[in-house]
Amino acid sequence: MSHATDPVRSRRDFIALLGTTASTAWLATIWPPAIADAREAGDAASQGQAPRYRALTKQQAEDFGAVADRIIPRDDAPGARDVGVVFFADHLLATFSPARKPEFDQALAALNEAARKHVPDAGSFASLTPTQQDETLRSIETTDAFNLLRSITISGYFSHPSHRGNRDQAGWKAIGFQDRMSWTSPFGYYDQPDVMARLMPWRRA
Amino acid sequence: MTRDVRQAPAVRYAPTDDVDFVIVGAGAAGGVVARELARSGFRVLVLEQGPYLRESDFKHDELLVGEGHQLTNIPSLQPQTFRATADDKATRRDYLIYGRMVGGGSVHFTANYWRLHEEDFIERTRYGSVPGAALEDWPIRYAELEPYYSRAEWELGVSGIAGANPFDPPRSRPYPLPPLPIKPSGVLMEIGARKLGWHPAPAPLAIISKSYRGRSGCQHCGFCESFGCEWKAKSSTLATMIPEAERTGRCEIRPNSYVRRIQTDSRGRVTGVVYFDAQKREVMQRAKAVVVCANGAETPRLLLMSASNQFPNGLANSSGVVGKHLMFNGGAFAGALFEHEVNGYKSVQVSRYVQDHYRLDPKHGIVGGGGIDMRFDWYPISFAMEALPTDAPRWGADFKKMVREYFTRTAYALAHTTQLPQEASTITLDPELKDAWGLPAIRTTFTEHPNDMKLYQFFLERNLELLNAAGATRTWAFSIDAPWQVHLLGTCRMGNDPKSSVVDKFHRAHDVPNLFIVDGSSFVTCGTGQPTMTIQALAFRAAEAIAGFAKRGEIRG
Ligand SMILES: Cc1cc2nc3c(=O)[nH]c(=O)nc-3n(C[C@H](O)[C@H](O)[C@H](O)COP(=O)(O)OP(=O)(O)OC[C@H]3O[C@@H](n4cnc5c(N)ncnc54)[C@H](O)[C@@H]3O)c2cc1C
Ligand code: SF4
């Protein structure tokens, strides 16, 4: 059996993963379309091309983007749409979770229904004002539909950037997380030697 | 070309080769048994349903291990059902999680590596008959297992300090490696626990703190629980036992090989196994003896699937207890916010633990006990999804603000506890649902004993007490109604009486002289916390006994 000679220590992205023979063979058994898509996505993303969705319609992309931006709005860190969660959702539903697409379609349909209940002549959720959008979401925030949209938004904001969300690791930077192969102690405030000496006098005893 | 030592000349057996042992499952126990039997000179073939992944396949990718099930059982291929009691109709629910790959659960586990204590082996004697519980003593005592606990620590590579935990049972050797560095959560734990008069100690971990036997020490990458270690610092069987087994030149590890049946002859002796290969073709592999190490869920399922005219209730099941007494260890979980940076996402999950409540004072009227550690086992996605207090905002500007404030400043207290064995808690074959190979799905039937719920509540209160004593600015509890199901124990219990147990004290099936069962299913009671050290100590002990039987010609009967 052949396999990569060394663990990838630096550029750990999904495309590199798919390039190693052991994974490719294995992944193909459970995520058949993942391989081609990841290559294509990598190419398109690196060339900054206009969005080309594989699973989402244009309207779905707009509605989902609008919801995602209310779930994780922009503050001094980017919002959900800024970091590519719409591309993430498309990637997710086209590749490793196609089985969730019907559920996703239903969730957006439920969202638009709630929007129209709130603003009868609303064309779609995306066409509402942010305040109307928040009011609409409050009316469905305990439903399965909302939970699915929330979970995809959060996954897209914080997942490994190779899945097309979390662009430039902006989601990770926003919370102070870094992906590294190694760390050394002290890891935080409390385990610094002087702090430990102060807080844990028994350690010297 | 590759310089991986695992590329040592690999032996390949033909299905018609009557190998000395087929081992089903290359997990925590299977890896140990394979290495020990191969080293004793036997021809060993290990059939593992999952893939043979290498360190280069491990990624810091939450989606790949979560949604992608890279290292664990895959619900779309092997769906499960669940019901609370036998009176309910089971519905589709993926209740159990286990490692499905060469190395099994030892690859992605958190590596908390606790010995059982002397009293864990004699809870029936200690507590007498507890209504509703099938409490029994083990057929072995701590003292009989102690040499194998020490062997496991030294052969696999375990870090800790002997004597630091005053509740630790007696040991014949110190740990081979010093503990890993204390984490901020460990400092907070020491502060809180000492304030309460408890006895915090460095957590023993099956992770090497320094170079050991050709592997490098932990680099504190933080992608530890639920992930595979790219540095080979986690002492999984994939990084330790399995390459050593292969290096004997007598052991073949055959991945993507899903055993569907253990074959027997007219005399009731095992003749081999039937498995699906990677192309879903059925292959009959002959063997002189079979050792099943497929874990507390898949082992009883395989025995039940191996029913025949001669063994109508399932193989090795004349007692009727195959699949019964399923236990997981229970627990309780609470979170806390601290003033300064904790940065729990760096390094291993746990650096300190306490066992002051390992066995509760009878005045509480609760059987058993537990241990508590402080930890952080979230990654960015899971943290934002579920780590905040239950009454926290779940979306919008306030939600985002809170995730940003809390991620680096939280720590969590997790208790692992006793769960009582009950006859009605079972693994059985689902009568309707089939997996992707057409085999009956696992059906879990489980409801906690009332004692368990009291225990969880007790520990939830201790967790909050600890976090407050550690100086938390805010604490919160998680529901005790949603425990995790990752310790799969008790479903082929060992015992001296063939009428009430499946295997004897050397893990030989009472009903079938050349069939052995060694994994979490052998547990009689689930103990108080972390099972894998005991699973692997049992595996060392069983392998020694099995090798002795084989050498003395005492296997075929
Ligand atoms: C997230 C997580 C964290 C954990 N942390 C800890 C911890 O800190 N401490 C601790 O003590 N425990 C921990 N555990 C539990 C630990 O992983 C298990 O206790 C341990 O791996 C069980 O060992 P085993 O040998 O019984 O089975 P496993 O390790 O599960 O091995 C069984 C193997 O058999 C294979 N198999 C099953 N059926 C078949 C078949 N029909 N044909 C072929 N192969 C088959 C499986 O694919 C698997 O590889 C954790 C588990 C999880 C999921
Ligand atoms: S924290 Fe240490 S043992 Fe765990 S995966 Fe990272 S390097 Fe390996």
Side-chain angles (χ1 to χ4, degrees):
Chain A
M1 186 185 291
S2 75
H3 60 90
T5 51
D6 232 348
V8 184
R9 300 237 194 275
S10 51
R11 238 190 107 243
R12 21 197 50 273
D13 65 22
F14 192 53
I15 293 148
L17 154 76
L18 293 172
T20 69
T21 49
S23 316
T24 313
W26 167 76
L27 263 180
T29 63
I30 62 160
W31 288 354
I35 295 160
D37 180 78
R39 294 215 175 96
E40 187 201 317
D43 294 348
S46 64
Q47 289 157 27
Q49 286 166 8
R52 210 157 30 91
Y53 299 114
R54 298 173 42 126
L56 306 187
T57 65
K58 201 158 157 287
Q59 184 61 45
Q60 284 184 319
E62 273 173 29
D63 286 336
F64 177 68
V67 166
D69 265 352
R70 297 322 300 154
I71 292 171
I72 305 184
R74 193 183 294 170
D75 48 14
D76 61 337
R81 216 175 338 202
D82 298 330
V83 308
V85 300
V86 180
F87 299 111
F88 168 84
D90 186 58
H91 175 64
L92 178 88
L93 296 169
T95 58
F96 46 96
S97 286
R100 285 169 73 179
K101 183 65 176 29
E103 224 184 309
F104 179 82
D105 293 346
Q106 281 162 24
L108 285 182
L111 177 77
N112 279 313
E113 200 183 300
R116 278 189 291 274
K117 212 176 268 171
H118 193 62
V119 180
D121 59 349
S124 72
F125 180 82
S127 67
L128 303 182
T129 66
T131 311
Q132 291 171 330
Q133 289 178 341
D134 282 357
E135 285 160 5
T136 301
L137 290 181
R138 263 193 290 280
S139 73
I140 60 164
E141 67 183 352
T142 58
T143 62
D144 289 347
F146 177 79
N147 282 335
L148 179 71
L149 301 173
R150 174 180 184 265
S151 121
I152 296 178
T153 302
I154 289 174
S155 299
Y157 197 78
F158 292 114
S159 78
H160 196 281
S162 58
H163 298 299
R164 306 176 76 178
N166 189 17
R167 189 177 296 147
D168 301 327
Q169 308 190 2
W172 289 349
K173 285 176 193 155
I175 58 171
F177 170 79
Q178 266 187 70
D179 173 17
R180 293 227 324 232
M181 282 302 288
S182 69
W183 292 100
T184 48
S185 149
F187 303 117
Y189 171 83
Y190 299 97
D191 59 336
Q192 300 173 88
D194 57 321
V195 177
M196 281 203 284
R198 183 161 49 78
L199 295 177
M200 303 167 73
W202 56 87
R203 253 172 98 87
R204 270 171 288 144
Chain B
M1 279 315 290
T2 163
R3 48 182 184 73
D4 195 313
V5 286
R6 277 188 220 127
Q7 300 295 299
V11 60
R12 299 282 294 163
Y13 295 113
T16 46
D17 286 347
D18 205 11
V19 295
D20 295 314
F21 293 98
V22 154
I23 297 175
V24 182
V32 170
V33 175
R35 184 248 205 189
E36 292 296 288
L37 291 177
R39 284 202 162 185
S40 301
F42 297 103
R43 299 172 346 131
V44 175
L45 170 62
V46 185
L47 299 174
E48 165 58 51
Q49 61 171 335
Y52 201 152
L53 301 180
R54 313 289 167 164
E55 282 71 27
S56 54
D57 296 314
F58 299 151
K59 303 289 151 185
H60 292 184
D61 183 339
E62 248 191 291
L63 239 73
L64 183 62
V65 300
E67 192 97 22
H69 305 283
Q70 185 199 25
L71 311 179
T72 47
N73 49 323
I74 304 168
S76 59
L77 299 181
Q78 287 165 310
Q80 304 168 28
T81 63
F82 175 82
R83 54 186 186 171
T85 74
D87 296 332
D88 303 320
K89 168 120 181 74
T91 53
R92 177 84 174 70
R93 182 164 159 200
D94 300 302
Y95 198 68
L96 315 172
I97 301 175
Y98 65 81
R100 183 184 183 275
M101 58 183 294
V102 173
S106 71
V107 173
H108 73 266
F109 83 145
T110 319
N112 285 303
Y113 215 62
W114 303 0
R115 294 178 175 211
L116 293 187
H117 296 188
E118 288 140 305
E119 283 203 333
D120 286 316
F121 295 86
I122 50 167
E123 287 186 298
R124 172 65 186 232
T125 301
R126 172 79 162 72
Y127 295 107
S129 159
V130 174
L135 218 47
E136 293 294 340
D137 290 349
W138 291 49
I140 57 173
R141 294 290 175 269
Y142 175 80
E144 289 169 83
L145 200 52
E146 197 289 329
Y148 304 95
Y149 277 127
S150 289
R151 268 199 77 193
E153 286 168 357
W154 284 80
E155 302 274 13
L156 290 154
V158 177
S159 303
I161 304 186
N165 170 14
F167 307 102
D168 231 1
R171 52 167 55 243
S172 54
R173 292 184 80 179
Y175 287 99
L177 290 145
L180 280 91
I182 189 166
K183 293 186 66 173
S185 62
V187 174
L188 294 167
M189 174 128 198
E190 285 212 13
I191 294 168
R194 279 178 166 250
K195 213 176 274 175
L196 296 167
W198 303 350
H199 300 80
L205 295 172
I207 290 173
I208 53 177
S209 52
K210 301 196 300 193
S211 307
Y212 189 67
R213 299 195 174 180
R215 293 185 288 132
S216 67
C218 172
Q219 304 296 318
H220 313 289
C221 77
F223 281 82
C224 206
E225 176 179 310
S226 302
F227 289 81
C229 180
E230 292 131 306
W231 297 97
K232 299 194 195 184
K234 197 189 286 183
S235 301
S236 66
T237 54
L238 178 70
T240 59
M241 298 289 106
I242 284 164
E244 291 178 20
E246 289 182 308
R247 251 177 270 148
T248 62
R250 284 182 293 273
C251 176
E252 177 188 346
I253 308 287
R254 198 175 290 171
N256 307 309
S257 303
Y258 180 24
V259 178
R260 67 163 300 174
R261 186 177 176 80
I262 299 165
Q263 210 63 33
T264 44
D265 64 14
S266 57
R267 294 184 314 143
R269 303 288 190 273
V270 165
T271 54
V273 301
V274 179
Y275 71 93
F276 288 109
D277 70 7
Q279 284 73 42
K280 289 195 174 183
R281 289 179 304 225
E282 282 190 52
V283 181
M284 165 71 197
Q285 173 67 51
R286 294 184 55 79
K288 295 199 175 83
V290 168
V291 189
V292 186
C293 302
N295 79 39
E298 292 293 356
T299 290
R301 174 173 179 240
L302 179 59
L303 296 177
L304 295 174
M305 290 194 300
S306 303
S308 60
N309 288 341
Q310 205 165 359
F311 299 101
N313 295 329
L315 189 58
N317 195 24
S318 67
S319 64
V321 300
V322 167
K324 291 183 178 166
H325 310 121
L326 174 65
M327 300 167 284
F328 305 110
N329 291 123
F333 194 45
L337 180 68
F338 291 89
E339 192 182 346
H340 300 288
E341 280 200 346
V342 179
N343 290 342
Y345 69 89
K346 299 179 189 176
S347 192
V348 300
Q349 266 65 45
V350 175
S351 68
R352 288 292 182 278
Y353 79 136
V354 287
Q355 291 192 327
D356 286 81
H357 315 93
Y358 197 84
R359 203 153 296 283
L360 297 192
D361 194 304
K363 73 170 187 235
H364 296 292
I366 305 176
V367 173
I372 303 174
D373 66 50
M374 266 177 71
R375 61 167 63 199
F376 186 86
D377 45 14
W378 307 103
Y379 300 92
I381 298 174
S382 58
F383 184 85
M385 290 288 290
E386 23 183 8
L388 296 179
T390 34
D391 60 357
R394 296 179 65 242
W395 58 279
D398 292 342
F399 162 69
K400 184 181 181 191
K401 186 159 165 269
M402 208 159 163
V403 173
R404 295 182 65 187
E405 269 174 30
Y406 277 48
F407 183 74
T408 52
R409 289 170 47 215
T410 44
Y412 295 77
L414 178 63
H416 279 91
T417 69
T418 307
Q419 225 174 41
L420 292 177
Q422 301 173 94
E423 206 184 329
S425 295
T426 60
I427 297 288
T428 50
L429 304 179
D430 192 276
E432 287 155 27
L433 188 65
K434 301 276 185 276
D435 73 6
W437 291 261
L439 304 179
I442 286 179
R443 177 176 64 182
T444 302
T445 306
F446 187 78
T447 303
E448 262 108 349
H449 190 280
N451 179 81
D452 300 340
M453 300 309 294
K454 282 193 225 157
L455 202 52
Y456 304 173
Q457 185 59 38
F458 176 89
F459 276 95
L460 189 60
E461 287 157 20
R462 297 295 80 68
N463 285 348
L464 292 166
E465 196 171 52
L466 172 67
L467 294 167
N468 282 314
T473 56
R474 174 178 188 183
T475 58
W476 59 94
F478 290 87
S479 168
I480 53 170
D481 292 331
W484 50 96
Q485 287 80 23
V486 298
H487 299 169
L488 310 177
L489 306 170
T491 47
C492 294
R493 56 165 42 173
M494 60 157 80
N496 293 326
D497 183 356
K499 286 202 217 56
S500 58
S501 58
V502 180
V503 294
D504 68 16
K505 63 192 283 188
F506 297 111
H507 298 260
R508 193 199 296 248
H510 289 302
D511 300 346
V512 187
N514 61 343
L515 176 66
F516 298 84
I517 301 167
V518 189
D519 57 23
S521 72
S522 310
F523 280 40
V524 180
T525 49
C526 72
T528 312
Q530 306 287 354
T532 308
M533 151 124 254
T534 300
I535 292 173
Q536 294 190 297
L538 289 172
F540 276 105
R541 179 175 173 276
E544 188 179 286
I546 296 167
F549 295 140
K551 284 185 178 151
R552 295 192 299 271
E554 292 168 10
I555 282 198
R556 274 230 151 143

